[in-house]
Amino acid sequence: MLTDPDLIEKLESKISYLEYNLENLSNEVYELRQIIEKQKIQINFLAGKLKSVEVSNIAPRSEETP
């Protein structure tokens, strides 16, 4: 069985590992949020452009020759 100092050392090591991973994950989440925000802006811009495009050059069925 682990002695008290060994147990404490092992727990400290695990805590350090978890803190390190938590910080990395937090940074990744922040970066992904930034990417998502940029993509939202781009999508809104493209949606606006798409709405402003004139009707297609394809003639309606009623105007097509048989």
Side-chain angles (χ1 to χ4, degrees):
M1 181 163 203
L2 295 173
T3 62
D4 284 344
D6 290 340
L7 179 60
I8 291 172
E9 186 176 324
K10 189 171 183 177
L11 290 173
E12 287 175 341
S13 176
K14 285 183 178 185
I15 289 171
S16 294
Y17 175 77
L18 292 172
E19 287 176 337
Y20 173 79
N21 283 320
L22 178 61
E23 184 176 343
N24 285 339
L25 289 172
S26 292
N27 290 337
E28 189 69 26
V29 167
Y30 175 78
E31 289 175 17
L32 290 173
R33 282 185 182 170
Q34 298 297 341
I35 291 169
I36 288 169
E37 289 304 315
K38 287 178 183 177
Q39 289 177 340
K40 281 181 182 178
I41 291 168
Q42 290 173 339
I43 287 171
N44 288 335
F45 174 76
L46 292 173
K49 290 280 247 181
L50 194 57
K51 286 179 184 176
S52 69
V53 171
E54 289 187 26
V55 180
S56 172
N57 291 335
I58 299 173
R61 248 190 205 287
S62 61
E63 293 180 11
E64 287 187 18
T65 55

